[in-house]
Amino acid sequence: MQTVDWLWLLHPALAVVLVYPLLGMVLRLAQQTRDRRLNQAKLPPTVGRDHADLGQWLATSVVAIVLIALGVVIATKHPLGAFEGGPFRLLLLLLVLAGSVGALVALGRVKQPLYRATFALLCWAGVLALGMQPEVFRLSDNPFSLAFWQSHFWGGAGLTGLMLFSVACRPEIHKHLRWRRWHLSANVLAALIFLAQGISGPRDLLEIPLGWQKPAVYACDFQAQRCPTPAPSAAP
């Protein structure tokens, strides 16, 4: 494997090692928090705070590894010397990436609802802007096609939005029943998307060849599922 192949493994490796274990803990604490609130179990009062804290870690991790994946894909699709659009486009994309990271950091620090909503939307807009670049593979951009709903990228984009929403409205979730219901609905949907991402991610990994294999693999006709006949090897 070449260096670029290891870079492409960062996103799935971080998802397996960090995100999915956190997801399991957050879901377990969510159930315990609900049971304690409904007096269905005698649990320590810290379960609610632990659920919120780990939930924020989960959301931040999801957004961070999505940004890492987009940055790696855009930077390694072609050599930087032959980067499409030249240095100006590269600088613009770096600014979008830096702005998205800055908005994510600021989201965890600001208190006012307007600022939280603003930074969450800015971060999500940055993710979408990076994801719409031609270097990023997407099965389809048409929401009326089945391929769109099977796309790993669009599932990740929706999941990122749901995670940012949960972080942005954390104080309101603690104070208001209506917000808790919105939070519950959003995170049931998020859990289903996590499940779908766990399937579509390995599927896409099977379709990505190693760097030295790409010229041969991309010479194939993917529609007809046929590859050129290899030239006969020279006699020893």
Side-chain angles (χ1 to χ4, degrees):
M1 289 178 62
Q2 300 172 340
T3 302
V4 65
D5 300 315
W6 288 107
L7 288 174
W8 277 58
L9 280 180
L10 272 177
H11 172 76
L14 288 172
V16 171
V17 173
L18 180 62
V19 170
Y20 279 90
L22 274 175
L23 175 63
M25 289 186 285
V26 169
L27 291 176
R28 175 59 177 163
L29 287 168
Q31 181 62 50
Q32 290 181 337
T33 301
R34 184 176 183 276
D35 290 344
R36 183 179 182 276
R37 185 177 292 121
L38 298 177
N39 294 319
Q40 293 180 352
K42 292 183 179 181
L43 294 163
T46 56
V47 293
R49 185 180 67 245
D50 292 342
H51 168 64
D53 291 343
L54 280 178
Q56 185 157 343
W57 275 102
L58 173 64
T60 303
S61 300
V62 168
V63 179
I65 69 167
V66 168
L67 290 172
I68 288 172
L70 294 174
V72 168
V73 169
I74 293 172
T76 61
K77 187 72 173 181
H78 304 290
L80 291 180
F83 190 77
E84 184 179 348
F88 177 76
R89 176 171 176 260
L90 178 60
L91 177 61
L92 185 62
L93 292 177
L94 285 174
L95 289 175
V96 173
L97 178 60
S100 302
V101 173
L104 179 61
V105 173
L107 175 60
R109 296 179 179 272
V110 297
K111 304 300 181 183
Q112 292 81 0
L114 178 60
Y115 292 162
R116 284 186 272 115
T118 299
F119 284 121
L121 287 173
L122 284 174
C123 185
W124 196 37
V127 169
L128 294 177
L130 292 171
M132 293 303 294
Q133 301 306 307
E135 291 87 354
V136 179
F137 174 74
R138 304 179 298 276
L139 287 178
S140 173
D141 292 333
N142 179 11
F144 297 104
S145 68
L146 181 61
F148 177 89
W149 300 100
Q150 296 173 339
S151 174
H152 187 73
F153 166 75
W154 285 114
L159 190 58
T160 300
L162 291 172
M163 294 293 100
L164 290 169
F165 166 77
S166 294
V167 174
C169 64
R170 176 176 173 175
E172 285 72 23
I173 293 170
H174 291 165
K175 297 176 184 177
H176 305 292
L177 177 61
R178 178 179 297 179
W179 280 99
R180 284 199 292 273
R181 288 172 175 169
W182 278 106
H183 173 67
L184 176 62
S185 300
N187 284 279
V188 167
L189 176 59
L192 294 174
I193 297 177
F194 269 117
L195 175 62
Q197 293 297 92
I199 298 171
S200 62
R203 178 204 64 195
D204 287 359
L205 282 177
L206 287 174
E207 298 179 358
I208 300 174
L210 297 175
W212 63 271
Q213 297 171 336
K214 287 181 180 180
V217 172
Y218 291 155
C220 298
D221 185 339
F222 290 90
Q223 296 297 325
Q225 297 184 357
R226 184 182 301 113
C227 292
T229 303
S233 57

PDB file of all heavy atoms in Angstrom, residues 6-21:
ATOM      1  N   TRP A   6      -3.135   4.660   2.651  1.00  0.00           N
ATOM      2  CA  TRP A   6      -3.283   4.775   4.103  1.00  0.00           C
ATOM      3  C   TRP A   6      -4.108   5.998   4.472  1.00  0.00           C
ATOM      4  O   TRP A   6      -4.908   5.953   5.411  1.00  0.00           O
ATOM      5  CB  TRP A   6      -1.913   4.834   4.768  1.00  0.00           C
ATOM      6  CG  TRP A   6      -1.182   3.531   4.750  1.00  0.00           C
ATOM      7  CD1 TRP A   6      -0.097   3.207   3.981  1.00  0.00           C
ATOM      8  CD2 TRP A   6      -1.499   2.358   5.514  1.00  0.00           C
ATOM      9  NE1 TRP A   6       0.284   1.901   4.223  1.00  0.00           N
ATOM     10  CE2 TRP A   6      -0.547   1.360   5.159  1.00  0.00           C
ATOM     11  CE3 TRP A   6      -2.477   2.048   6.453  1.00  0.00           C
ATOM     12  CZ2 TRP A   6      -0.560   0.088   5.719  1.00  0.00           C
ATOM     13  CZ3 TRP A   6      -2.482   0.777   7.016  1.00  0.00           C
ATOM     14  CH2 TRP A   6      -1.545  -0.184   6.657  1.00  0.00           C
ATOM     15  N   LEU A   7      -3.929   7.096   3.723  1.00  0.00           N
ATOM     16  CA  LEU A   7      -4.725   8.296   3.999  1.00  0.00           C
ATOM     17  C   LEU A   7      -6.216   8.036   3.754  1.00  0.00           C
ATOM     18  O   LEU A   7      -7.068   8.507   4.508  1.00  0.00           O
ATOM     19  CB  LEU A   7      -4.248   9.461   3.129  1.00  0.00           C
ATOM     20  CG  LEU A   7      -2.888  10.069   3.492  1.00  0.00           C
ATOM     21  CD1 LEU A   7      -2.478  11.116   2.453  1.00  0.00           C
ATOM     22  CD2 LEU A   7      -2.950  10.709   4.880  1.00  0.00           C
ATOM     23  N   TRP A   8      -6.522   7.262   2.711  1.00  0.00           N
ATOM     24  CA  TRP A   8      -7.916   6.960   2.414  1.00  0.00           C
ATOM     25  C   TRP A   8      -8.532   6.051   3.479  1.00  0.00           C
ATOM     26  O   TRP A   8      -9.762   5.988   3.607  1.00  0.00           O
ATOM     27  CB  TRP A   8      -8.024   6.307   1.035  1.00  0.00           C
ATOM     28  CG  TRP A   8      -8.033   7.302  -0.086  1.00  0.00           C
ATOM     29  CD1 TRP A   8      -7.066   8.232  -0.363  1.00  0.00           C
ATOM     30  CD2 TRP A   8      -9.047   7.481  -1.076  1.00  0.00           C
ATOM     31  NE1 TRP A   8      -7.415   8.970  -1.464  1.00  0.00           N
ATOM     32  CE2 TRP A   8      -8.627   8.531  -1.925  1.00  0.00           C
ATOM     33  CE3 TRP A   8     -10.249   6.851  -1.335  1.00  0.00           C
ATOM     34  CZ2 TRP A   8      -9.383   8.971  -3.009  1.00  0.00           C
ATOM     35  CZ3 TRP A   8     -11.005   7.280  -2.416  1.00  0.00           C
ATOM     36  CH2 TRP A   8     -10.583   8.333  -3.239  1.00  0.00           C
ATOM     37  N   LEU A   9      -7.692   5.361   4.257  1.00  0.00           N
ATOM     38  CA  LEU A   9      -8.208   4.495   5.318  1.00  0.00           C
ATOM     39  C   LEU A   9      -8.485   5.245   6.617  1.00  0.00           C
ATOM     40  O   LEU A   9      -9.074   4.674   7.543  1.00  0.00           O
ATOM     41  CB  LEU A   9      -7.211   3.365   5.605  1.00  0.00           C
ATOM     42  CG  LEU A   9      -7.227   2.163   4.653  1.00  0.00           C
ATOM     43  CD1 LEU A   9      -6.186   1.144   5.081  1.00  0.00           C
ATOM     44  CD2 LEU A   9      -8.607   1.512   4.601  1.00  0.00           C
ATOM     45  N   LEU A  10      -8.051   6.514   6.714  1.00  0.00           N
ATOM     46  CA  LEU A  10      -8.247   7.267   7.949  1.00  0.00           C
ATOM     47  C   LEU A  10      -9.725   7.358   8.328  1.00  0.00           C
ATOM     48  O   LEU A  10     -10.104   7.134   9.481  1.00  0.00           O
ATOM     49  CB  LEU A  10      -7.685   8.685   7.793  1.00  0.00           C
ATOM     50  CG  LEU A  10      -6.216   8.906   8.138  1.00  0.00           C
ATOM     51  CD1 LEU A  10      -5.833  10.349   7.860  1.00  0.00           C
ATOM     52  CD2 LEU A  10      -5.953   8.554   9.592  1.00  0.00           C
ATOM     53  N   HIS A  11     -10.555   7.689   7.381  1.00  0.00           N
ATOM     54  CA  HIS A  11     -11.981   7.888   7.654  1.00  0.00           C
ATOM     55  C   HIS A  11     -12.655   6.610   8.161  1.00  0.00           C
ATOM     56  O   HIS A  11     -13.262   6.624   9.248  1.00  0.00           O
ATOM     57  CB  HIS A  11     -12.678   8.415   6.401  1.00  0.00           C
ATOM     58  CG  HIS A  11     -14.171   8.470   6.498  1.00  0.00           C
ATOM     59  ND1 HIS A  11     -14.827   9.441   7.209  1.00  0.00           N
ATOM     60  CD2 HIS A  11     -15.138   7.675   5.971  1.00  0.00           C
ATOM     61  CE1 HIS A  11     -16.131   9.239   7.121  1.00  0.00           C
ATOM     62  NE2 HIS A  11     -16.346   8.171   6.381  1.00  0.00           N
ATOM     63  N   PRO A  12     -12.557   5.479   7.447  1.00  0.00           N
ATOM     64  CA  PRO A  12     -13.201   4.262   7.981  1.00  0.00           C
ATOM     65  C   PRO A  12     -12.563   3.778   9.269  1.00  0.00           C
ATOM     66  O   PRO A  12     -13.263   3.249  10.149  1.00  0.00           O
ATOM     67  CB  PRO A  12     -13.037   3.239   6.844  1.00  0.00           C
ATOM     68  CG  PRO A  12     -11.938   3.764   5.998  1.00  0.00           C
ATOM     69  CD  PRO A  12     -12.000   5.244   6.097  1.00  0.00           C
ATOM     70  N   ALA A  13     -11.242   3.941   9.419  1.00  0.00           N
ATOM     71  CA  ALA A  13     -10.593   3.481  10.649  1.00  0.00           C
ATOM     72  C   ALA A  13     -11.085   4.275  11.856  1.00  0.00           C
ATOM     73  O   ALA A  13     -11.384   3.709  12.912  1.00  0.00           O
ATOM     74  CB  ALA A  13      -9.074   3.611  10.513  1.00  0.00           C
ATOM     75  N   LEU A  14     -11.185   5.591  11.717  1.00  0.00           N
ATOM     76  CA  LEU A  14     -11.673   6.415  12.820  1.00  0.00           C
ATOM     77  C   LEU A  14     -13.141   6.113  13.127  1.00  0.00           C
ATOM     78  O   LEU A  14     -13.564   6.160  14.288  1.00  0.00           O
ATOM     79  CB  LEU A  14     -11.496   7.896  12.487  1.00  0.00           C
ATOM     80  CG  LEU A  14     -10.048   8.412  12.507  1.00  0.00           C
ATOM     81  CD1 LEU A  14      -9.979   9.845  11.973  1.00  0.00           C
ATOM     82  CD2 LEU A  14      -9.486   8.357  13.915  1.00  0.00           C
ATOM     83  N   ALA A  15     -13.918   5.812  12.093  1.00  0.00           N
ATOM     84  CA  ALA A  15     -15.325   5.468  12.320  1.00  0.00           C
ATOM     85  C   ALA A  15     -15.447   4.195  13.142  1.00  0.00           C
ATOM     86  O   ALA A  15     -16.254   4.116  14.082  1.00  0.00           O
ATOM     87  CB  ALA A  15     -16.043   5.311  10.978  1.00  0.00           C
ATOM     88  N   VAL A  16     -14.634   3.182  12.811  1.00  0.00           N
ATOM     89  CA  VAL A  16     -14.706   1.903  13.518  1.00  0.00           C
ATOM     90  C   VAL A  16     -14.156   2.012  14.937  1.00  0.00           C
ATOM     91  O   VAL A  16     -14.736   1.496  15.901  1.00  0.00           O
ATOM     92  CB  VAL A  16     -13.943   0.820  12.724  1.00  0.00           C
ATOM     93  CG1 VAL A  16     -13.813  -0.458  13.536  1.00  0.00           C
ATOM     94  CG2 VAL A  16     -14.649   0.528  11.409  1.00  0.00           C
ATOM     95  N   VAL A  17     -13.024   2.716  15.081  1.00  0.00           N
ATOM     96  CA  VAL A  17     -12.339   2.762  16.374  1.00  0.00           C
ATOM     97  C   VAL A  17     -12.983   3.761  17.329  1.00  0.00           C
ATOM     98  O   VAL A  17     -13.039   3.529  18.541  1.00  0.00           O
ATOM     99  CB  VAL A  17     -10.849   3.110  16.163  1.00  0.00           C
ATOM    100  CG1 VAL A  17     -10.144   3.346  17.491  1.00  0.00           C
ATOM    101  CG2 VAL A  17     -10.156   2.001  15.388  1.00  0.00           C
ATOM    102  N   LEU A  18     -13.506   4.869  16.797  1.00  0.00           N
ATOM    103  CA  LEU A  18     -13.978   5.957  17.658  1.00  0.00           C
ATOM    104  C   LEU A  18     -15.492   6.140  17.627  1.00  0.00           C
ATOM    105  O   LEU A  18     -16.150   6.137  18.677  1.00  0.00           O
ATOM    106  CB  LEU A  18     -13.283   7.259  17.235  1.00  0.00           C
ATOM    107  CG  LEU A  18     -13.636   8.526  18.021  1.00  0.00           C
ATOM    108  CD1 LEU A  18     -13.245   8.369  19.492  1.00  0.00           C
ATOM    109  CD2 LEU A  18     -12.943   9.745  17.418  1.00  0.00           C
ATOM    110  N   VAL A  19     -16.057   6.282  16.444  1.00  0.00           N
ATOM    111  CA  VAL A  19     -17.454   6.712  16.343  1.00  0.00           C
ATOM    112  C   VAL A  19     -18.429   5.632  16.791  1.00  0.00           C
ATOM    113  O   VAL A  19     -19.319   5.885  17.621  1.00  0.00           O
ATOM    114  CB  VAL A  19     -17.768   7.174  14.904  1.00  0.00           C
ATOM    115  CG1 VAL A  19     -19.274   7.388  14.734  1.00  0.00           C
ATOM    116  CG2 VAL A  19     -17.029   8.467  14.597  1.00  0.00           C
ATOM    117  N   TYR A  20     -18.298   4.423  16.284  1.00  0.00           N
ATOM    118  CA  TYR A  20     -19.295   3.397  16.596  1.00  0.00           C
ATOM    119  C   TYR A  20     -19.256   2.942  18.060  1.00  0.00           C
ATOM    120  O   TYR A  20     -20.318   2.695  18.643  1.00  0.00           O
ATOM    121  CB  TYR A  20     -19.190   2.230  15.617  1.00  0.00           C
ATOM    122  CG  TYR A  20     -19.893   2.544  14.311  1.00  0.00           C
ATOM    123  CD1 TYR A  20     -19.222   3.147  13.263  1.00  0.00           C
ATOM    124  CD2 TYR A  20     -21.248   2.287  14.148  1.00  0.00           C
ATOM    125  CE1 TYR A  20     -19.871   3.470  12.078  1.00  0.00           C
ATOM    126  CE2 TYR A  20     -21.912   2.596  12.976  1.00  0.00           C
ATOM    127  CZ  TYR A  20     -21.219   3.190  11.941  1.00  0.00           C
ATOM    128  OH  TYR A  20     -21.873   3.520  10.782  1.00  0.00           O
ATOM    129  N   PRO A  21     -18.075   2.847  18.692  1.00  0.00           N
ATOM    130  CA  PRO A  21     -18.104   2.589  20.142  1.00  0.00           C
ATOM    131  C   PRO A  21     -18.784   3.721  20.916  1.00  0.00           C
ATOM    132  O   PRO A  21     -19.563   3.460  21.848  1.00  0.00           O
ATOM    133  CB  PRO A  21     -16.619   2.486  20.506  1.00  0.00           C
ATOM    134  CG  PRO A  21     -15.959   2.023  19.260  1.00  0.00           C
ATOM    135  CD  PRO A  21     -16.697   2.695  18.152  1.00  0.00           C
TER     136      PRO A  21
END
